[in-house]
Amino acid sequence: MPKADSPLAQPVAEVGLAPVKVTQSADLIAALEAAKTRFVERNPKSKQLFEDACEILPGGNTRTLLYSAPFPICMKKGENYQVFDEDGHVYTDLVGELTAALYGHSHPLIQESIISTVKNVGLNLGATIAQEAVHARLICQRFGLDKVRFCNSGTEANLHALAAARHFTGKRKVVVFSGAYHGAVLGFWDGVQPNGVDKDDWVIGKYNDLASARALIENDDIAAVMVEGMQGAGGCISGTDEFLLQLQTSAKKVGAIFILDEVMTSRLGPAGLADIVGIKPDLKTFGKYLGGGMAFGAFGGSADLMAVYDPRSATSLAHSGTFNNNTLAMNSGYVGLNNIWTPDVAVEFNKMGDAFRVKLQELTKGTKMSVTGRGALNAIHFSEQGERELSCREDIVEDWGLKDLFFIEIMEDGFWITRRGSIAMILGTPQSELDRFCECVSRFLERHRALVKL
Ligand SMILES: Cc1ncc(COP(=O)(O)O)c(C=O)c1O
């Protein structure tokens, strides 16, 4: 096995990882070594590109999640629901750009909108454009907001929502939950991350623990409660309806702002997860696919709260961002939500995802592999006990040896997933490919029966 400081070693601290099982059996080590050897042999061009990139990018990388040892696959292009790598392999894309690629890689309406915008509108006008209110109106209608504002990422959306809550309440502390990921500088899987902002202002609770959440929110000087309705990067762990309702009730009781991070979950239904659960957060945050494939973020909610950003008021907060109203995201984001991701499509697509997960859950029974999630957002886990019901990150110790083995071997079968096991389905993925994925999972479990059985 590579030493911890060798370039072949896999970092254990990766975005959104659950606690890690470190001991591995000799058989697993042998299977992993063999898989890694095949991986290196199959991907000479990716290897070369990685080595070249290491000369000018630290670790050849500019987005930690996309690094995997011994080197990451380098993609050349995407088309519809597939991606094609530099060594000539074709994959069914189950990464789905971590939910942002919902519309696929070449949806004709998105292509048309981008080309038309470039030709007829232009880029970077340095001025207000009519289309920003058009997209804003549609987002407000679909997600039940009075007012919305745009930014460039989900991270920014959450930072601006937090600033609004702090300005509005005059308080600083925010309750978040372990396992949460709210953006690049807002990760909480093992306490506040070393690159985290506002280090002293977080109160970290246990996800789905009603009593402790109530105590934390109601017993402190809390400006806001921020939560994902399903922890996405944390492994697709769903918040129970009771838990989310409790957060809303407790926040209301003490005048704290209840912020629902819908950056991933807004695509779980026509009006997002809040609508499915029946909660009415003060603020919601968005990103990903709502920019139609462009860098995008948005945050919105009640008119009185969002008024903190009204520049007509002398006491308003500034909300800057060169690309906040960029022409491409305003246009293709609108086309995506209005013409492609209609309410009916949202319902049907998530039903397809539910059926996929149920099938995977059936065929992984009795093994260390399990699948959690909601609708078309799911996550694969491997653990000693094969835990199937996860209510918080503390419920699982991931077996990263098995996870890596699966990651490499499912790529050999022509499926692109993240090393951490997230699956965010893309519109237009044929049912036959989902069925083939299930068959490949069955074959993996059969092939490694001795390693995966409980
Ligand atoms: C729930 C959640 N919030 C916020 C973010 C940050 O979004 P972005 O990567 O656009 O900054 C993510 C990204 O995956 C996310 O999953």
Side-chain angles (χ1 to χ4, degrees):
M1 284 292 280
K3 290 208 182 78
D5 57 355
S6 109
L8 291 187
Q10 185 66 46
V12 289
E14 187 188 283
V15 178
L17 295 193
V20 179
K21 174 177 182 275
V22 279
T23 51
Q24 292 172 354
S25 70
D27 287 347
L28 177 54
I29 290 170
L32 255 174
E33 285 300 309
K36 281 191 180 168
T37 302
R38 293 195 307 275
F39 177 87
V40 174
E41 281 165 4
R42 278 183 101 228
N43 299 292
K45 203 151 176 209
S46 279
K47 182 169 184 283
Q48 185 60 53
L49 288 164
F50 172 69
E51 284 163 5
D52 292 348
C54 284
E55 290 169 14
I56 29 77
L57 292 162
N61 176 273
T62 191
R63 186 175 172 197
T64 306
L65 175 83
L66 299 184
Y67 174 76
S68 56
F71 53 85
I73 294 291
C74 194
M75 286 301 170
K76 190 169 192 173
K77 67 165 189 165
E79 212 175 287
N80 302 324
Y81 65 90
Q82 292 173 312
V83 283
F84 302 72
D85 75 15
E86 292 280 355
D87 285 287
H89 308 114
V90 185
Y91 306 84
T92 287
D93 182 1
L94 295 178
V95 174
E97 189 50 289
L98 286 306
T99 73
L102 176 62
Y103 306 137
H105 302 293
S106 43
H107 197 291
L109 293 179
I110 298 286
Q111 285 186 341
E112 203 180 292
S113 164
I114 291 172
I115 291 166
S116 155
T117 304
V118 172
K119 278 190 173 166
N120 304 317
V121 183
L123 309 172
N124 309 323
L125 304 189
T128 298
I129 57 172
Q131 185 62 23
E132 61 197 66
V134 175
H135 194 25
R137 193 174 301 280
L138 179 61
I139 288 185
C140 285
Q141 280 163 359
R142 278 287 283 272
F143 297 105
L145 316 170
D146 294 339
K147 298 267 167 71
V148 71
R149 268 190 169 233
F150 297 126
C151 50
N152 300 290
S153 67
T155 304
E156 277 189 27
N158 284 324
L159 290 171
H160 291 306
L162 289 168
R166 285 170 169 153
H167 192 70
F168 192 82
T169 59
K171 300 178 190 170
R172 291 278 325 158
K173 287 195 174 168
V174 175
V175 173
V176 290
F177 297 92
S178 63
Y181 180 68
H182 296 295
V185 289
L186 297 166
F188 299 97
W189 34 97
D190 276 319
V192 186
Q193 295 305 289
N195 67 349
V197 291
D198 297 338
K199 286 238 180 351
D200 299 330
D201 293 328
W202 305 109
V203 179
I204 305 180
K206 191 172 172 189
Y207 198 61
N208 276 326
D209 184 334
L210 275 73
S212 75
R214 191 188 310 125
L216 291 176
I217 300 167
E218 296 183 13
N219 285 347
D220 214 327
D221 194 15
I222 299 299
V225 179
M226 177 174 262
V227 70
E228 295 161 272
M230 174 175 78
Q231 292 190 329
C236 286
I237 299 177
S238 289
T240 63
D241 291 4
E242 300 72 38
F243 175 66
L244 297 169
L245 281 161
Q246 180 63 56
L247 301 187
Q248 176 168 281
T249 305
S250 293
K252 202 180 177 75
K253 192 168 161 190
V254 295
I257 307 302
F258 180 37
I259 305 171
L260 186 69
D261 180 339
E262 289 254 44
V263 170
M264 277 200 181
T265 55
S266 68
R267 51 172 265 181
L268 290 177
L273 189 55
D275 185 60
I276 297 172
V277 175
I279 48 179
K280 196 147 179 32
D282 301 304
L283 290 173
K284 296 180 195 174
T285 58
F286 304 91
K288 309 275 189 189
Y289 71 100
L290 287 169
M294 306 298 133
F296 179 83
F299 57 100
S302 65
D304 56 341
L305 250 167
M306 290 299 288
V308 302
Y309 283 110
D310 185 338
R312 294 169 298 183
S313 154
T315 57
S316 67
L317 282 176
H319 166 219
S320 308
T322 302
F323 295 108
N324 283 356
N325 62 339
N326 76 87
T327 57
L328 290 175
M330 295 299 109
N331 280 283
S332 60
Y334 175 78
V335 166
L337 186 60
N338 195 53
N339 302 3
I340 305 171
W341 192 240
T342 59
D344 288 349
V345 169
V347 170
E348 285 313 309
F349 188 60
N350 280 298
K351 270 192 203 160
M352 190 178 174
D354 280 331
F356 179 48
R357 183 180 55 264
V358 168
K359 196 167 166 185
L360 284 169
Q361 285 170 337
E362 274 301 309
L363 63 88
T364 53
K365 267 189 190 150
T367 74
K368 294 180 181 173
M369 180 173 176
S370 62
V371 183
T372 57
R374 243 183 136 132
L377 295 185
N378 295 294
I380 287 169
H381 305 274
F382 282 91
S383 63
E384 199 57 37
Q385 308 300 328
E387 286 90 351
R388 313 183 74 76
E389 304 292 331
L390 305 181
S391 62
C392 60
R393 69 177 272 108
E394 291 82 356
D395 277 355
I396 190 164
V397 177
E398 295 275 2
D399 185 331
W400 280 91
L402 282 174
K403 238 173 159 167
D404 279 344
L405 187 62
F406 181 76
F407 175 56
I408 294 175
E409 296 199 353
I410 208 74
M411 277 194 272
E412 292 174 330
D413 286 327
F415 290 100
W416 184 236
I417 62 167
T418 53
R419 174 177 179 251
R420 78 174 183 218
S422 317
I423 294 180
M425 284 163 51
I426 282 180
L427 279 170
T429 305
Q431 182 60 49
S432 57
E433 275 305 279
L434 301 182
D435 294 342
R436 193 173 73 80
F437 183 82
C438 292
E439 284 158 23
C440 291
V441 168
S442 294
R443 282 204 293 273
F444 173 88
L445 295 174
E446 185 53 34
R447 194 160 59 242
H448 299 293
R449 210 171 33 251
L451 293 175
V452 299
K453 73 172 190 313
L454 287 179

